[in-house]
Amino acid sequence: MNITLELNGAKVTHDVEPRETLADFLRHQLGLTGTHLGCEHGVCGACTVRVDGEIVRSCLMLAVQMHGASVETIEGLSDSGEVADLQAAFRERNALQCGFCTPGMLIAAQDLLKQNSEPDRERIRQHLSGNYCRCTGYQAIIDAVENTARARMGRQS
Ligand code: FES
Ligand code: FES
């Protein structure tokens, strides 16, 4: 099937198999390997992307569903600078080790900070509860998101 979508701000037209997931389409057809695949059944959050402004699990969506949609991946958010401060905070706080969960974490954290500019630690924990990290123990990730929220509010972290 032939689909046309907006991908990280650019129009893309591509043939896809009807059963191809959005995650496989991004990674294998388009080479956007920043979208990671962990569980492939909607649990770990590694495959998180934005579709029409909402975060979704790309392993649970089909590429054909993206016809006419706007899809944003970590490559797009990174290239535009939208999450540059979050990325810097993750580096500063050692909020990543292997980095497998990091693209999904950053997209989910940015989603929270767009909805709530001053989330408390419990709210951050709750919003990121669908994103698994096998390395960090989560505390440093919560710190990095909290510090970014404070910095965006013009406060010292
Ligand atoms: S790979 Fe999609 S939620 Fe785990
Ligand atoms: S940094 Fe390794 S899974 Fe999170």
mmCIF file of all heavy atoms in Angstrom, residues 36-48 57-60 130, ligand 1:
data_model
loop_
_atom_site.group_PDB
_atom_site.id
_atom_site.type_symbol
_atom_site.label_atom_id
_atom_site.label_comp_id
_atom_site.label_asym_id
_atom_site.label_seq_id
_atom_site.Cartn_x
_atom_site.Cartn_y
_atom_site.Cartn_z
ATOM 1 N N HIS A 36 13.661 2.653 19.213
ATOM 2 C CA HIS A 36 14.152 1.326 19.592
ATOM 3 C C HIS A 36 12.998 0.351 19.801
ATOM 4 O O HIS A 36 11.866 0.761 20.089
ATOM 5 C CB HIS A 36 14.977 1.429 20.876
ATOM 6 C CG HIS A 36 16.277 2.148 20.673
ATOM 7 N ND1 HIS A 36 17.028 2.652 21.698
ATOM 8 C CD2 HIS A 36 16.959 2.448 19.523
ATOM 9 C CE1 HIS A 36 18.122 3.219 21.204
ATOM 10 N NE2 HIS A 36 18.089 3.119 19.890
ATOM 11 N N LEU A 37 13.313 -0.918 19.663
ATOM 12 C CA LEU A 37 12.330 -1.970 19.904
ATOM 13 C C LEU A 37 12.816 -2.860 21.030
ATOM 14 O O LEU A 37 13.881 -3.484 20.907
ATOM 15 C CB LEU A 37 12.127 -2.801 18.635
ATOM 16 C CG LEU A 37 11.160 -2.194 17.623
ATOM 17 C CD1 LEU A 37 11.231 -2.943 16.306
ATOM 18 C CD2 LEU A 37 9.742 -2.212 18.163
ATOM 19 N N GLY A 38 12.054 -2.880 22.131
ATOM 20 C CA GLY A 38 12.402 -3.749 23.251
ATOM 21 C C GLY A 38 11.459 -4.928 23.293
ATOM 22 O O GLY A 38 11.757 -6.013 22.824
ATOM 23 N N CYS A 39 10.268 -4.690 23.843
ATOM 24 C CA CYS A 39 9.323 -5.788 24.063
ATOM 25 C C CYS A 39 8.492 -6.133 22.831
ATOM 26 O O CYS A 39 8.019 -7.245 22.701
ATOM 27 C CB CYS A 39 8.385 -5.407 25.199
ATOM 28 S SG CYS A 39 7.338 -3.987 24.792
ATOM 29 N N GLU A 40 8.255 -5.131 21.982
ATOM 30 C CA GLU A 40 7.400 -5.276 20.790
ATOM 31 C C GLU A 40 5.963 -5.655 21.117
ATOM 32 O O GLU A 40 5.256 -6.193 20.270
ATOM 33 C CB GLU A 40 8.008 -6.259 19.773
ATOM 34 C CG GLU A 40 9.367 -5.800 19.268
ATOM 35 C CD GLU A 40 9.874 -6.606 18.095
ATOM 36 O OE1 GLU A 40 9.137 -6.717 17.110
ATOM 37 O OE2 GLU A 40 11.015 -7.114 18.178
ATOM 38 N N HIS A 41 5.530 -5.401 22.354
ATOM 39 C CA HIS A 41 4.103 -5.564 22.631
ATOM 40 C C HIS A 41 3.559 -4.516 23.599
ATOM 41 O O HIS A 41 2.690 -4.804 24.416
ATOM 42 C CB HIS A 41 3.753 -6.997 23.055
ATOM 43 C CG HIS A 41 4.411 -7.452 24.324
ATOM 44 N ND1 HIS A 41 5.631 -8.070 24.332
ATOM 45 C CD2 HIS A 41 4.012 -7.378 25.614
ATOM 46 C CE1 HIS A 41 5.949 -8.363 25.583
ATOM 47 N NE2 HIS A 41 4.991 -7.948 26.379
ATOM 48 N N GLY A 42 4.081 -3.310 23.504
ATOM 49 C CA GLY A 42 3.430 -2.195 24.183
ATOM 50 C C GLY A 42 3.765 -2.002 25.641
ATOM 51 O O GLY A 42 3.068 -1.254 26.334
ATOM 52 N N VAL A 43 4.806 -2.645 26.143
ATOM 53 C CA VAL A 43 5.097 -2.562 27.576
ATOM 54 C C VAL A 43 6.243 -1.611 27.914
ATOM 55 O O VAL A 43 6.149 -0.831 28.866
ATOM 56 C CB VAL A 43 5.413 -3.975 28.142
ATOM 57 C CG1 VAL A 43 5.819 -3.899 29.606
ATOM 58 C CG2 VAL A 43 4.214 -4.885 27.986
ATOM 59 N N CYS A 44 7.328 -1.645 27.145
ATOM 60 C CA CYS A 44 8.579 -1.015 27.606
ATOM 61 C C CYS A 44 8.742 0.457 27.244
ATOM 62 O O CYS A 44 9.545 1.162 27.859
ATOM 63 C CB CYS A 44 9.779 -1.788 27.087
ATOM 64 S SG CYS A 44 10.107 -1.537 25.313
ATOM 65 N N GLY A 45 8.040 0.940 26.231
ATOM 66 C CA GLY A 45 8.123 2.354 25.868
ATOM 67 C C GLY A 45 9.328 2.751 25.031
ATOM 68 O O GLY A 45 9.465 3.923 24.659
ATOM 69 N N ALA A 46 10.196 1.801 24.701
ATOM 70 C CA ALA A 46 11.404 2.137 23.936
ATOM 71 C C ALA A 46 11.074 2.656 22.542
ATOM 72 O O ALA A 46 11.867 3.373 21.936
ATOM 73 C CB ALA A 46 12.316 0.913 23.828
ATOM 74 N N CYS A 47 9.899 2.299 22.039
ATOM 75 C CA CYS A 47 9.531 2.632 20.664
ATOM 76 C C CYS A 47 8.675 3.897 20.567
ATOM 77 O O CYS A 47 8.067 4.151 19.531
ATOM 78 C CB CYS A 47 8.752 1.459 20.070
ATOM 79 S SG CYS A 47 7.174 1.217 20.926
ATOM 80 N N THR A 48 8.632 4.682 21.648
ATOM 81 C CA THR A 48 7.735 5.846 21.706
ATOM 82 C C THR A 48 8.058 6.882 20.624
ATOM 83 O O THR A 48 9.215 7.263 20.438
ATOM 84 C CB THR A 48 7.847 6.522 23.091
ATOM 85 O OG1 THR A 48 7.534 5.551 24.099
ATOM 86 C CG2 THR A 48 6.906 7.713 23.211
ATOM 87 N N ARG A 57 3.003 4.223 21.118
ATOM 88 C CA ARG A 57 3.985 3.135 21.016
ATOM 89 C C ARG A 57 3.976 2.658 19.568
ATOM 90 O O ARG A 57 2.983 2.087 19.118
ATOM 91 C CB ARG A 57 3.614 2.022 21.980
ATOM 92 C CG ARG A 57 3.611 2.510 23.437
ATOM 93 C CD ARG A 57 3.421 1.378 24.363
ATOM 94 N NE ARG A 57 3.356 1.747 25.758
ATOM 95 C CZ ARG A 57 4.301 2.322 26.482
ATOM 96 N NH1 ARG A 57 5.429 2.674 25.921
ATOM 97 N NH2 ARG A 57 4.139 2.575 27.757
ATOM 98 N N SER A 58 5.085 2.873 18.898
ATOM 99 C CA SER A 58 5.094 2.586 17.453
ATOM 100 C C SER A 58 5.094 1.100 17.153
ATOM 101 O O SER A 58 4.823 0.697 16.027
ATOM 102 C CB SER A 58 6.281 3.270 16.781
ATOM 103 O OG SER A 58 7.509 2.833 17.316
ATOM 104 N N CYS A 59 5.362 0.254 18.177
ATOM 105 C CA CYS A 59 5.269 -1.196 17.941
ATOM 106 C C CYS A 59 3.823 -1.649 17.895
ATOM 107 O O CYS A 59 3.541 -2.763 17.453
ATOM 108 C CB CYS A 59 6.037 -1.977 19.010
ATOM 109 S SG CYS A 59 5.283 -1.952 20.655
ATOM 110 N N LEU A 60 2.903 -0.808 18.377
ATOM 111 C CA LEU A 60 1.486 -1.193 18.423
ATOM 112 C C LEU A 60 0.675 -0.542 17.312
ATOM 113 O O LEU A 60 -0.543 -0.702 17.278
ATOM 114 C CB LEU A 60 0.871 -0.808 19.774
ATOM 115 C CG LEU A 60 1.399 -1.522 21.013
ATOM 116 C CD1 LEU A 60 0.600 -1.093 22.235
ATOM 117 C CD2 LEU A 60 1.338 -3.032 20.843
ATOM 118 N N GLY A 130 5.541 4.152 32.077
ATOM 119 C CA GLY A 130 5.421 3.221 30.964
ATOM 120 C C GLY A 130 6.699 3.094 30.162
ATOM 121 O O GLY A 130 6.697 2.497 29.092
HETATM 122 S S1 FES B 1 8.891 -2.005 21.889
HETATM 123 FE FE1 FES B 1 7.033 -0.915 21.871
HETATM 124 S S2 FES B 1 6.467 -0.759 23.957
HETATM 125 FE FE2 FES B 1 8.241 -2.054 23.962
#
